[in-house]
Each structure stands twice: as structure tokens, then as C-alpha cells.
Amino acid sequence: MRYSALTSVLAAGLAIAHPVEQRDVAMDFQPPPGGDITILNYALTLEYLERKFYQEGLQKFSRQDFVSAGFADPFYDNLKVIRSDEETHVSFLAGALAGQAVNEATYSFPYTDVKSFLGLSSVLEGVGVSAYLGAAQAIVDKGYLTAAGSILTVESRHSSYIRAALKQVPFPKAFDTPLDFNQVFSLAAQFITGFDPKDPPLPFKAFPAIALQPSQYPYTAGSSPITFSGAYKKALAAKLITENQKVYAVLFSGLDTYYVETYMTRGNSGDLKIDKIPAGTGSQLPPTGQVYVVLSTADGVNTKVNDANTISGVGIVEVLPPRH
């Protein structure tokens, strides 16, 4: 079995060699143009995506398909409840926005069977949690904030339920991971094939894609290497870095951010690599569960990672705790 998680991962090492920070208020969590209305349409776009994902998946796969794949009743019925929740979220947000709501985009999801459908379900639910969590500090109207928080907690329950069904730790860390608007948009853009031309574009951008070389083994904190396929060559060609400029893998897990300097592998592939995912040190927990990765020119000491110095992302990797 090969392990990759849609796109990628990041980080490695000791806190002394590899800076670790606890995130407080990051510069990329500032309110976007349009304020709360833009944030609600951002949330609605994500809920449209989740609604379509479950509608299509539960139409394609029957109860018997799930049972045959090892997911006995009442699992199928519970997935229908999740679908209903996503439909309700869409109705609620669209109603709150009234005439200012964006329309549903078109989507394409790369699952082929029940297990790949559930793997993607787990990723999408985790991203949903990170999206609402990251957007919360930018919401001005406290009524909207309460509503968003109410949706967030339900998305978190969905995530834990799917993770447990996949025999993953349902709550792998004491804190969930906030992502900013462009980070989430970069993840969602992988599945969006088109927006309604009548809608004004959302003021977010997707980063250049990041590619993680598949691994034959599960990713484990403190040991697993990560290779980013063609990352140096692509960034150089796009003029996002200069010749011999240092590039760092930046890992987000919970409220922790880890920076690890990459190096270029031999040959002409332009691959960048880190030798191991960090294990965590002292009071810092290791990155575990659904971990997010970008490549950046920020080293974590002189410069913190932000959207401006991110050269590719966002990748996702499922990371196991360190071996003892």
C-alpha cells in the first residue's frame, strides 16, 4: 500500500535544530475584502462542496457496497445523516446571505470505491473543521460567529466518526488546526472544476500545487522522510525562489508550526526532501493525525510563514505518533 494524502506533508527533527512555534494571531487570518459576507460565502462554497460529495457518493454506492467493504449497519444510515447535515448547512448559510449568496460550483472527486470515498470524506471533514476554526477570528458579527461555531462542532463530530470508522485515532491531538483562507481555498480548488460565471470571484488564491512522493509505509512522527516531487524546479521556473535559495517545509498540526529546511535530492528531478517528520520536544506535542504542509522561504526564526512567502501547498498527510 502506498501512502500519500492528496498532496503532501512536512517537517522533521529536534526543536533546537528546527524551530517550533505556537500560533497565536497570524497575519493571514485578517478579514478579507467584503468582511463577513465574503466569509459566509467562503463557508457556503465549502458546504456546497461537501453536500455534492455526499450526494454523489451515496448515489453511487449502496448500503450493500459499504457492508461488503467492511462498514456494517448503521454506518450507511449515519452517512445519510452527515449528508443531511451538509444540506442543512447549505440552506442555513444561503438563507443568511439571501440575495448575496454565491451559487454552487461544479466539482470532480477522485474516489473509485467505498474506501477511497471514505478516505476523501475524512480529509474533507478535517479541512472543514480547520476552515471554520481559521475563519472564526476574522468574523466581526458575533451572531455569525456563534452560528459558525455551531457548524464547526458538528463538522468535528463528522470528522471523528469517519476517522474511527477508518481505524484512525478519532481525536489525534489536544487542539485542532486552524487554516487561513488561501490555505483552505488551495485545498478546495483541487475539486472545483468551475464557478458560476454570474458570481463575483471570491478574493482568495490557490497556491501552486505541491506533490508528495508516495510512501510504502505509514507516515510516522520522528522517523518518516518526505520527498516533494519537482518542487525546487517548479518554484525556480515560476520565479518564486532564486537559485540556491533555501526552502523550508512548514508543518501545521494543532496550534504548532514546525519549520524544516529541505535539501535537493541527487539528479535532475528538482525534488526537495526532508529526512524525517518531527517527533515533538518538551512541551510540544508531535504532529499527529491530519497534518498540513506547505513549502515556504520562511525559516521560522527570522521570518514566519505567511501566504506571501508560501511557494506551494497545501498538502495533507496522515501522521502516526512517534514509535517508542
Side-chain angles (χ1 to χ4, degrees):
M1 181 176 183
R2 289 182 177 272
Y3 296 82
S4 63
L6 290 178
T7 23
S8 323
V9 89
L10 133 309
L14 301 174
I16 296 175
H18 309 301
V20 178
E21 67 179 71
Q22 275 206 321
R23 288 192 283 175
D24 37 42
V25 179
M27 65 183 70
D28 297 297
F29 291 93
Q30 297 302 313
D36 286 354
I37 297 301
T38 297
I39 295 171
L40 291 181
N41 270 316
Y42 160 84
L44 178 58
T45 299
L46 299 175
E47 295 294 347
Y48 278 141
L49 186 153
E50 288 187 296
R51 181 181 72 172
K52 179 62 72 174
F53 172 76
Y54 286 108
Q55 287 175 340
E56 289 186 352
L58 294 181
Q59 183 177 36
K60 181 173 183 176
F61 302 119
S62 67
R63 179 189 306 272
Q64 187 56 51
D65 290 330
F66 282 92
V67 172
S68 297
F71 301 94
D73 288 339
F75 186 76
Y76 183 79
D77 288 330
N78 287 338
L79 285 181
K80 288 164 61 176
V81 172
I82 293 176
R83 178 187 63 189
S84 178
D85 287 345
E86 306 301 356
E87 291 170 343
T88 302
H89 294 165
V90 166
S91 298
F92 175 81
L93 290 168
L97 285 158
Q100 299 182 81
V102 296
N103 295 300
E104 186 174 21
T106 54
Y107 308 97
S108 178
F109 302 106
Y111 57 80
T112 55
D113 55 22
V114 164
K115 289 190 176 179
S116 60
F117 169 78
L118 291 176
L120 184 50
S121 168
S122 179
V123 167
L124 293 178
E125 294 294 350
V127 171
V129 171
S130 293
Y132 279 100
L133 190 58
Q137 61 187 283
I139 296 174
V140 175
D141 187 311
K142 299 310 176 188
Y144 290 151
L145 180 60
T146 298
S150 184
I151 294 174
L152 164 61
T153 56
V154 173
E155 298 289 353
S156 184
R157 290 190 189 98
H158 293 171
S159 176
S160 293
Y161 181 73
I162 299 296
R163 288 182 61 85
L166 292 172
K167 296 182 171 51
Q168 297 170 341
V169 178
F171 21 80
K173 199 164 183 178
F175 299 93
D176 280 320
T177 308
L179 293 178
D180 74 24
F181 298 106
N182 286 333
Q183 289 170 339
V184 172
F185 189 76
S186 297
L187 290 163
Q190 300 176 68
F191 312 110
I192 298 174
T193 57
F195 291 99
D196 190 318
K198 297 189 295 296
D199 288 333
L202 291 171
F204 309 121
K205 67 172 184 177
F207 301 122
I210 191 169
L212 170 66
Q213 201 169 97
S215 172
Q216 294 182 332
Y217 307 100
Y219 292 103
T220 303
S223 59
S224 297
I226 304 294
T227 300
F228 303 93
S229 300
Y232 182 81
K233 186 178 289 186
K234 292 173 186 175
L236 200 60
K239 297 183 179 179
L240 297 172
I241 57 172
T242 57
E243 193 83 36
N244 299 319
Q245 184 174 4
K246 291 181 179 180
V247 175
Y248 296 81
V250 185
L251 171 73
F252 304 103
S253 176
L255 298 179
D256 301 318
T257 304
Y258 307 76
Y259 297 78
V260 184
E261 184 175 342
T262 67
Y263 63 90
M264 190 149 49
T265 59
R266 295 179 181 178
N268 296 317
S269 64
D271 293 350
L272 292 175
K273 186 174 182 178
I274 58 173
D275 285 330
K276 60 181 177 177
I277 299 171
T281 57
S283 62
Q284 298 290 341
L285 297 173
T288 52
Q290 184 160 307
V291 174
Y292 302 97
V293 178
V294 301
L295 292 176
S296 171
T297 55
D299 62 5
V301 176
N302 299 301
T303 308
K304 304 298 185 184
V305 65
N306 58 46
D307 289 349
N309 57 40
T310 295
I311 64 172
S312 63
V314 175
I316 300 177
V317 152
E318 182 67 27
V319 180
L320 298 175
R323 299 186 185 97
H324 296 292

